[in-house]
Amino acid sequence: MQESQGSTEKFAPLQLYGQEYMGNTWAMANMNMIIHDMEGKIEIGDTFRHPKFMQAGKLAQFERVVANPMWNQKWFTEKDYDGDELGRFPKGAGYPGSCF
């Protein structure tokens, strides 16, 4: 709880949502949520091809997003970027390239 000008305000606990492709990293993330008494959900799978957090056929929206960009992965191509059907990339911005 946080005090503000003599009154007490209640804040909802932080909820963490995530998706991880690698099984061991997914397991470690879930274990850390339990150890640190956090609320949320970590899904397993490919965030680009099979995003798990959807609402009404669109990607779920969150207040904060931390991600390793897909174009940093060896498998991600310009065709993937241009063919995205979920509106994650601005049209006409151009493929950002790869670090590989």
Side-chain angles (χ1 to χ4, degrees), residues 20-96:
E20 172 56 44
Y21 183 73
M22 302 298 293
N24 345 359
T25 309
W26 170 83
M28 194 169 15
N30 277 287
M31 181 181 65
N32 274 304
M33 283 184 49
I34 293 166
I35 289 170
H36 296 289
D37 196 27
M38 295 179 71
E39 294 182 19
K41 187 172 190 177
I42 309 292
E43 295 283 0
I44 191 165
D46 183 329
T47 57
F48 182 72
R49 292 187 176 97
H50 305 288
K52 303 289 183 169
F53 298 100
M54 304 286 289
Q55 294 175 340
K58 295 183 179 182
L59 290 171
Q61 299 289 303
F62 296 93
E63 291 179 17
R64 305 279 189 280
V65 175
V66 179
N68 181 8
M70 293 138 202
W71 48 87
N72 282 343
Q73 308 302 316
K74 290 181 180 181
W75 57 262
F76 190 77
T77 66
E78 188 169 358
K79 184 177 177 182
D80 293 318
Y81 184 88
D82 292 338
D84 178 46
E85 297 176 356
L86 295 172
R88 290 175 275 200
F89 311 115
K91 298 294 180 202
Y95 177 61

